[in-house]
Amino acid sequence: KENLSTWFQYVHPDERVLVEKSINEVIISQDQVWESEYRYMKSDSSYAHVANKGIAIKDENGVPYRMIGAMRDITKEKEQYYEIKRIQQNLNSLINNTTDYIWSIDTEMKVIACNNAFSEVIFLLTGKVVVEGTHVLFPEVKKELLDNWNIYYTRALKGEIFTIEEHETLPDNSKRYGIVSFTPITSLDGTVQGVACFGKDISELKKSEERLLELNKELEKRAEELAASNIELERFAYVASHDLQEPLRMVSSFLQLLEKKYEGNLDETAQKYIHFAVDGAARMKVLIKDLLQYSKIGTGALELVPIDINNVLSDILLLFKEEINNSNAEIVVQNMPVILAEKTAMMQLFQNLISNALKYKSPHIAPIVEVSYTEDNHYWNFKVKDNGLGIDPNYNEKIFVIFQRLHNKDEFSGTGIGLAICKKIVERYQGQIRVESEQGAGSTFIFTIAKNPMI
Ligand code: ADP
């Protein structure tokens, strides 16, 4: 009795009642064996987890008079147990906090563990999830579905690691897309004990991918339609301008015949009318010629040869010699590069820009036209700068549209096609053209030409 109460002092106060109760139960019952786990104070006053087993020795009347016991320190095991439990809890909260599907199967292909996301999706698929012992059962899963998965499980059970893409149709007919990877679970001796499966829902990704494909198709279709209508338009412009030439020629020549034959017999008004008609026909001829020229650009393949832009420019300056002399113009040309292009196109391009620079000059100052360039890896950047009238920035884009003019024919001759031709040529060389200008402060036309326009 003495001994027992000393011993009791060392049992953790929280557990004393329980321990005492279990001993008493053995004393009053028929049992002899007493077993308990509790904390027991060590000499350094800290508590050890102990497992205690005792045998009560009873006299012939069944009254215990002695207890032989064996106490074992199980602190280490207990700590390990709690550590494992903690790890398990962490793992559980980890795998249950993801929307990815995680599950494992045994060699019988039965699910032995799974996370919430997995049982939720199975519930969506089948409406039933049953847990039986360590197995998770899906009683309503269709056989075809199981057969399908069993093929994958069999592969993984043979030791293969692989990933598949799968989709399932939910009862509401929506589709779930997923990628699933299978990894065999092996014991230390290398035998496969099951398969760990990891699935990721890629339905949203699939949906955006499908939408993107659709959009791409739509875009392709639009581009094709646009290309077709462009070709049609160009053909129309060509045919129209080509076929209009003949009747126009007839109108002009008959008008001229009329003028000649009735010269002197017509009154002033009639002569004025004929003059207007001849003038109109002449302008129409120029328009048709320009239109024809415009519609011819961009047909056929590019035939690129090295072109020395210095030569192109000196040819152009020769063409404008008279105008340059008359207006006292100064043309400043930087040493220009040799580029891969077609000569006629480059002639047209620089000629139109230089001719405009000379044409739209300020009334009282001599024109100064500067032609220069810079280059980068992919493009030649050319500049044609003048000190002329300049352009209202509101019209920076409009001037490149065919037949768009900011000046009327009485102020400056022209049809409004020059810059449209420049734009079409530049775009054929994968470049861009724009103008920087302020009204009254001169204009700078800047355009790029790809160094290799074929790519
Ligand atoms: P056109 O010269 O036959 O009118 P363009 O297409 O060459 O046709 O030019 C369109 C319009 O842009 C011109 O009518 C003119 O108003 C304006 N423009 C073009 N180049 C210049 C320039 N260097 N300075 C000022 N205005 C210009």
Side-chain angles (χ1 to χ4, degrees), residues 126 138-151 153 168:
T126 64
F138 311 111
E140 307 292 318
V141 175
K142 282 192 232 108
K143 197 180 157 328
E144 310 91 77
L145 195 81
L146 273 183
D147 286 348
N148 211 4
W149 284 96
N150 287 351
I151 294 170
Y153 292 155
E168 307 291 3

PDB file of all heavy atoms in Angstrom, residues 126 138-151 153 168:
ATOM      1  N   THR A 126     -21.163   9.744 -60.799  1.00  0.00           N
ATOM      2  CA  THR A 126     -21.946   8.551 -60.490  1.00  0.00           C
ATOM      3  C   THR A 126     -23.058   8.787 -59.481  1.00  0.00           C
ATOM      4  O   THR A 126     -23.985   7.992 -59.368  1.00  0.00           O
ATOM      5  CB  THR A 126     -21.027   7.472 -59.875  1.00  0.00           C
ATOM      6  OG1 THR A 126     -20.535   7.987 -58.631  1.00  0.00           O
ATOM      7  CG2 THR A 126     -19.851   7.160 -60.756  1.00  0.00           C
ATOM      8  N   PHE A 138     -17.075   2.889 -55.976  1.00  0.00           N
ATOM      9  CA  PHE A 138     -17.939   3.728 -56.808  1.00  0.00           C
ATOM     10  C   PHE A 138     -18.936   2.808 -57.495  1.00  0.00           C
ATOM     11  O   PHE A 138     -18.732   2.410 -58.637  1.00  0.00           O
ATOM     12  CB  PHE A 138     -17.096   4.498 -57.825  1.00  0.00           C
ATOM     13  CG  PHE A 138     -15.924   5.184 -57.180  1.00  0.00           C
ATOM     14  CD1 PHE A 138     -14.633   4.763 -57.429  1.00  0.00           C
ATOM     15  CD2 PHE A 138     -16.129   6.237 -56.305  1.00  0.00           C
ATOM     16  CE1 PHE A 138     -13.558   5.382 -56.823  1.00  0.00           C
ATOM     17  CE2 PHE A 138     -15.054   6.867 -55.694  1.00  0.00           C
ATOM     18  CZ  PHE A 138     -13.765   6.429 -55.944  1.00  0.00           C
ATOM     19  N   PRO A 139     -19.999   2.448 -56.788  1.00  0.00           N
ATOM     20  CA  PRO A 139     -20.863   1.383 -57.284  1.00  0.00           C
ATOM     21  C   PRO A 139     -21.536   1.700 -58.614  1.00  0.00           C
ATOM     22  O   PRO A 139     -21.852   0.797 -59.371  1.00  0.00           O
ATOM     23  CB  PRO A 139     -21.928   1.243 -56.184  1.00  0.00           C
ATOM     24  CG  PRO A 139     -21.508   2.123 -55.076  1.00  0.00           C
ATOM     25  CD  PRO A 139     -20.489   3.053 -55.561  1.00  0.00           C
ATOM     26  N   GLU A 140     -21.747   3.004 -58.883  1.00  0.00           N
ATOM     27  CA  GLU A 140     -22.501   3.308 -60.101  1.00  0.00           C
ATOM     28  C   GLU A 140     -21.619   3.561 -61.324  1.00  0.00           C
ATOM     29  O   GLU A 140     -22.118   3.961 -62.355  1.00  0.00           O
ATOM     30  CB  GLU A 140     -23.385   4.549 -59.864  1.00  0.00           C
ATOM     31  CG  GLU A 140     -24.284   4.457 -58.646  1.00  0.00           C
ATOM     32  CD  GLU A 140     -25.379   3.421 -58.818  1.00  0.00           C
ATOM     33  OE1 GLU A 140     -25.953   3.369 -59.924  1.00  0.00           O
ATOM     34  OE2 GLU A 140     -25.656   2.670 -57.868  1.00  0.00           O
ATOM     35  N   VAL A 141     -20.318   3.418 -61.163  1.00  0.00           N
ATOM     36  CA  VAL A 141     -19.452   3.701 -62.313  1.00  0.00           C
ATOM     37  C   VAL A 141     -19.724   2.696 -63.425  1.00  0.00           C
ATOM     38  O   VAL A 141     -19.773   1.492 -63.187  1.00  0.00           O
ATOM     39  CB  VAL A 141     -17.961   3.639 -61.907  1.00  0.00           C
ATOM     40  CG1 VAL A 141     -17.065   3.802 -63.123  1.00  0.00           C
ATOM     41  CG2 VAL A 141     -17.657   4.711 -60.881  1.00  0.00           C
ATOM     42  N   LYS A 142     -19.928   3.269 -64.648  1.00  0.00           N
ATOM     43  CA  LYS A 142     -20.244   2.384 -65.779  1.00  0.00           C
ATOM     44  C   LYS A 142     -19.050   1.478 -66.093  1.00  0.00           C
ATOM     45  O   LYS A 142     -17.906   1.868 -65.924  1.00  0.00           O
ATOM     46  CB  LYS A 142     -20.553   3.235 -67.015  1.00  0.00           C
ATOM     47  CG  LYS A 142     -21.940   3.824 -66.961  1.00  0.00           C
ATOM     48  CD  LYS A 142     -22.289   4.388 -68.331  1.00  0.00           C
ATOM     49  CE  LYS A 142     -22.752   5.813 -68.254  1.00  0.00           C
ATOM     50  NZ  LYS A 142     -21.868   6.823 -68.748  1.00  0.00           N
ATOM     51  N   LYS A 143     -19.389   0.297 -66.604  1.00  0.00           N
ATOM     52  CA  LYS A 143     -18.356  -0.690 -66.845  1.00  0.00           C
ATOM     53  C   LYS A 143     -17.326  -0.191 -67.870  1.00  0.00           C
ATOM     54  O   LYS A 143     -16.128  -0.375 -67.687  1.00  0.00           O
ATOM     55  CB  LYS A 143     -18.988  -2.003 -67.312  1.00  0.00           C
ATOM     56  CG  LYS A 143     -18.046  -3.170 -67.183  1.00  0.00           C
ATOM     57  CD  LYS A 143     -18.652  -4.454 -67.641  1.00  0.00           C
ATOM     58  CE  LYS A 143     -17.643  -5.495 -68.054  1.00  0.00           C
ATOM     59  NZ  LYS A 143     -16.400  -5.112 -68.631  1.00  0.00           N
ATOM     60  N   GLU A 144     -17.850   0.483 -68.938  1.00  0.00           N
ATOM     61  CA  GLU A 144     -16.918   0.950 -70.003  1.00  0.00           C
ATOM     62  C   GLU A 144     -15.878   1.893 -69.418  1.00  0.00           C
ATOM     63  O   GLU A 144     -14.713   1.869 -69.783  1.00  0.00           O
ATOM     64  CB  GLU A 144     -17.634   1.721 -71.132  1.00  0.00           C
ATOM     65  CG  GLU A 144     -18.848   1.073 -71.730  1.00  0.00           C
ATOM     66  CD  GLU A 144     -20.090   1.501 -70.997  1.00  0.00           C
ATOM     67  OE1 GLU A 144     -20.555   2.621 -71.211  1.00  0.00           O
ATOM     68  OE2 GLU A 144     -20.600   0.700 -70.193  1.00  0.00           O
ATOM     69  N   LEU A 145     -16.373   2.743 -68.498  1.00  0.00           N
ATOM     70  CA  LEU A 145     -15.486   3.712 -67.879  1.00  0.00           C
ATOM     71  C   LEU A 145     -14.393   3.006 -67.089  1.00  0.00           C
ATOM     72  O   LEU A 145     -13.208   3.303 -67.223  1.00  0.00           O
ATOM     73  CB  LEU A 145     -16.307   4.602 -66.936  1.00  0.00           C
ATOM     74  CG  LEU A 145     -15.619   5.871 -66.485  1.00  0.00           C
ATOM     75  CD1 LEU A 145     -15.754   6.922 -67.558  1.00  0.00           C
ATOM     76  CD2 LEU A 145     -16.226   6.375 -65.196  1.00  0.00           C
ATOM     77  N   LEU A 146     -14.831   1.986 -66.311  1.00  0.00           N
ATOM     78  CA  LEU A 146     -13.871   1.232 -65.512  1.00  0.00           C
ATOM     79  C   LEU A 146     -12.881   0.493 -66.397  1.00  0.00           C
ATOM     80  O   LEU A 146     -11.679   0.518 -66.162  1.00  0.00           O
ATOM     81  CB  LEU A 146     -14.603   0.225 -64.623  1.00  0.00           C
ATOM     82  CG  LEU A 146     -15.060   0.763 -63.275  1.00  0.00           C
ATOM     83  CD1 LEU A 146     -15.691  -0.348 -62.470  1.00  0.00           C
ATOM     84  CD2 LEU A 146     -13.864   1.359 -62.507  1.00  0.00           C
ATOM     85  N   ASP A 147     -13.413  -0.138 -67.462  1.00  0.00           N
ATOM     86  CA  ASP A 147     -12.536  -0.880 -68.387  1.00  0.00           C
ATOM     87  C   ASP A 147     -11.436   0.013 -68.894  1.00  0.00           C
ATOM     88  O   ASP A 147     -10.266  -0.357 -68.972  1.00  0.00           O
ATOM     89  CB  ASP A 147     -13.351  -1.404 -69.580  1.00  0.00           C
ATOM     90  CG  ASP A 147     -14.224  -2.579 -69.150  1.00  0.00           C
ATOM     91  OD1 ASP A 147     -14.004  -3.081 -68.034  1.00  0.00           O
ATOM     92  OD2 ASP A 147     -15.115  -2.962 -69.932  1.00  0.00           O
ATOM     93  N   ASN A 148     -11.872   1.240 -69.254  1.00  0.00           N
ATOM     94  CA  ASN A 148     -10.947   2.214 -69.781  1.00  0.00           C
ATOM     95  C   ASN A 148      -9.816   2.489 -68.804  1.00  0.00           C
ATOM     96  O   ASN A 148      -8.635   2.441 -69.153  1.00  0.00           O
ATOM     97  CB  ASN A 148     -11.737   3.508 -70.002  1.00  0.00           C
ATOM     98  CG  ASN A 148     -11.184   4.276 -71.163  1.00  0.00           C
ATOM     99  OD1 ASN A 148     -10.276   3.803 -71.833  1.00  0.00           O
ATOM    100  ND2 ASN A 148     -11.721   5.455 -71.384  1.00  0.00           N
ATOM    101  N   TRP A 149     -10.198   2.768 -67.544  1.00  0.00           N
ATOM    102  CA  TRP A 149      -9.189   3.082 -66.527  1.00  0.00           C
ATOM    103  C   TRP A 149      -8.362   1.856 -66.173  1.00  0.00           C
ATOM    104  O   TRP A 149      -7.162   1.979 -65.918  1.00  0.00           O
ATOM    105  CB  TRP A 149      -9.867   3.637 -65.274  1.00  0.00           C
ATOM    106  CG  TRP A 149     -10.301   5.054 -65.501  1.00  0.00           C
ATOM    107  CD1 TRP A 149     -11.520   5.491 -65.886  1.00  0.00           C
ATOM    108  CD2 TRP A 149      -9.472   6.226 -65.425  1.00  0.00           C
ATOM    109  NE1 TRP A 149     -11.532   6.844 -66.044  1.00  0.00           N
ATOM    110  CE2 TRP A 149     -10.276   7.329 -65.761  1.00  0.00           C
ATOM    111  CE3 TRP A 149      -8.130   6.450 -65.113  1.00  0.00           C
ATOM    112  CZ2 TRP A 149      -9.792   8.627 -65.794  1.00  0.00           C
ATOM    113  CZ3 TRP A 149      -7.641   7.750 -65.132  1.00  0.00           C
ATOM    114  CH2 TRP A 149      -8.471   8.819 -65.471  1.00  0.00           C
ATOM    115  N   ASN A 150      -8.997   0.684 -66.191  1.00  0.00           N
ATOM    116  CA  ASN A 150      -8.254  -0.523 -65.850  1.00  0.00           C
ATOM    117  C   ASN A 150      -7.091  -0.777 -66.797  1.00  0.00           C
ATOM    118  O   ASN A 150      -6.072  -1.338 -66.397  1.00  0.00           O
ATOM    119  CB  ASN A 150      -9.196  -1.724 -65.811  1.00  0.00           C
ATOM    120  CG  ASN A 150     -10.075  -1.662 -64.570  1.00  0.00           C
ATOM    121  OD1 ASN A 150      -9.841  -0.832 -63.698  1.00  0.00           O
ATOM    122  ND2 ASN A 150     -11.094  -2.515 -64.495  1.00  0.00           N
ATOM    123  N   ILE A 151      -7.255  -0.323 -68.050  1.00  0.00           N
ATOM    124  CA  ILE A 151      -6.147  -0.471 -69.011  1.00  0.00           C
ATOM    125  C   ILE A 151      -4.936   0.334 -68.524  1.00  0.00           C
ATOM    126  O   ILE A 151      -3.806  -0.140 -68.533  1.00  0.00           O
ATOM    127  CB  ILE A 151      -6.586   0.001 -70.418  1.00  0.00           C
ATOM    128  CG1 ILE A 151      -7.667  -0.938 -70.959  1.00  0.00           C
ATOM    129  CG2 ILE A 151      -5.399   0.055 -71.381  1.00  0.00           C
ATOM    130  CD1 ILE A 151      -8.340  -0.456 -72.223  1.00  0.00           C
ATOM    131  N   TYR A 153      -4.418   1.356 -65.376  1.00  0.00           N
ATOM    132  CA  TYR A 153      -3.932   0.787 -64.121  1.00  0.00           C
ATOM    133  C   TYR A 153      -3.029  -0.415 -64.393  1.00  0.00           C
ATOM    134  O   TYR A 153      -1.974  -0.578 -63.775  1.00  0.00           O
ATOM    135  CB  TYR A 153      -5.107   0.336 -63.234  1.00  0.00           C
ATOM    136  CG  TYR A 153      -5.965   1.481 -62.702  1.00  0.00           C
ATOM    137  CD1 TYR A 153      -7.297   1.271 -62.357  1.00  0.00           C
ATOM    138  CD2 TYR A 153      -5.428   2.750 -62.530  1.00  0.00           C
ATOM    139  CE1 TYR A 153      -8.084   2.304 -61.868  1.00  0.00           C
ATOM    140  CE2 TYR A 153      -6.213   3.789 -62.041  1.00  0.00           C
ATOM    141  CZ  TYR A 153      -7.538   3.566 -61.711  1.00  0.00           C
ATOM    142  OH  TYR A 153      -8.291   4.579 -61.232  1.00  0.00           O
ATOM    143  N   GLU A 168     -14.179  13.091 -69.704  1.00  0.00           N
ATOM    144  CA  GLU A 168     -15.381  12.366 -69.280  1.00  0.00           C
ATOM    145  C   GLU A 168     -16.570  13.276 -69.500  1.00  0.00           C
ATOM    146  O   GLU A 168     -16.459  14.491 -69.381  1.00  0.00           O
ATOM    147  CB  GLU A 168     -15.309  12.012 -67.786  1.00  0.00           C
ATOM    148  CG  GLU A 168     -14.066  11.270 -67.344  1.00  0.00           C
ATOM    149  CD  GLU A 168     -13.980   9.848 -67.878  1.00  0.00           C
ATOM    150  OE1 GLU A 168     -14.868   9.432 -68.648  1.00  0.00           O
ATOM    151  OE2 GLU A 168     -12.999   9.147 -67.558  1.00  0.00           O
TER     152      GLU A 168
END
